[in-house]
Amino acid sequence: MALTTDELVALAPVVPVVVIDDLDDAVPLAAALVRGGLPAIEVTLRTQPALAAIERIAQEVPGAVVGAGTVTTAQQVDDALSAGARFLVSPGATPSLLDALQASGVPFLAGTATPSDVIALLERGITYAKFFPAEINGGVKALKAFAGPFPQMRFCPTGGIDVAKAPDYLALPNVVCVGGSWMAKPGDWDAVEALARAAASL
Ligand SMILES: O=C(O)C(=O)C[C@H](O)[C@H](O)COP(=O)(O)O
């Protein structure tokens, strides 16, 4: 059974945004994040090994719910699903990308930055969105302002958020989780686990 978006965003307060340059990092990095309490893991499709990394994490890391990030084309939606992605994250949203995301059958967070972006999602009945790049687009203040005209919209702000800034976002009623890369740097797996544990307890 595919996850619902409600289930996805409830898995943890933080979605790690992972950039895999070396395929061998994929499994130990995801395993450390899961041990720390962050099961929903977004692997960005920005690097050559990204799809293979999704495949390996899906097959080899019990407890991980792996998704694809930086999804910008319908082809990438297909490729990510074939690799085993269970959710999709996009930095933006065009009509054709939204068509592909809605047809995918898995939860997705399409990127919004402006009121018109939010309206375009609401017109399709979509009530969850990424807010990107969060800090540059007004951060907590912008999301507070969005709560007025868009009370039904729920956001996962991402971009420029760290462990110090995350609590102010998570305190907002219209924020369901935050995305960030601060705990997902490959190398020292114990450090990744510790940073993930701190993020999971936010
Ligand atoms: O490529 C995408 O689709 C993204 O999701 C971009 C990420 O949101 C940022 O790279 C988050 O990274 P930090 O700002 O380092 O936390």
Side-chain angles (χ1 to χ4, degrees):
M1 268 286 284
L3 279 177
T4 65
T5 312
D6 297 276
E7 290 166 344
L8 171 70
V9 299
L11 286 173
V14 178
V15 177
V17 178
V18 169
V19 180
I20 298 291
D21 290 308
D22 180 347
L23 183 56
D24 289 337
D25 289 335
V27 166
L29 179 59
L33 292 168
V34 171
R35 283 199 304 276
L38 300 180
I41 298 168
E42 174 187 338
V43 177
T44 64
L45 298 184
R46 289 187 232 164
T47 60
Q48 190 279 328
L51 288 169
I54 289 170
E55 210 168 312
R56 281 210 194 165
I57 294 167
Q59 288 173 3
E60 298 177 30
V61 184
V65 175
V66 65
T70 330
V71 175
T72 59
T73 66
Q75 182 63 52
Q76 287 177 319
V77 171
D78 288 345
D79 292 346
L81 293 177
S82 300
R86 294 174 62 191
F87 67 94
L88 304 168
V89 184
S90 161
T94 63
S96 59
L97 182 59
L98 286 171
D99 287 345
L101 291 169
Q102 287 192 291
S104 72
V106 299
F108 61 87
L109 294 167
T112 59
T114 68
S116 295
D117 297 340
V118 175
I119 291 168
L121 298 197
L122 289 173
E123 283 176 354
R124 291 168 176 257
I126 301 167
T127 56
Y128 288 97
K130 176 168 167 164
F131 177 58
F132 177 78
E135 280 289 296
I136 290 166
N137 282 304
V140 166
K141 282 185 184 169
L143 287 165
K144 274 187 188 163
F146 279 7
F150 309 122
Q152 67 277 61
M153 201 69 190
R154 295 292 173 267
F155 294 94
C156 181
T158 306
I161 300 175
D162 58 21
V163 69
K165 292 177 182 143
D168 287 343
Y169 284 97
L170 291 167
L172 298 175
N174 59 348
V175 168
V176 286
C177 54
V178 304
S181 63
W182 77 84
M183 80 312 286
K185 303 281 186 283
D188 180 343
W189 309 127
D190 288 340
V192 171
E193 180 180 342
L195 290 168
R197 184 159 289 117
S201 68
L202 285 172

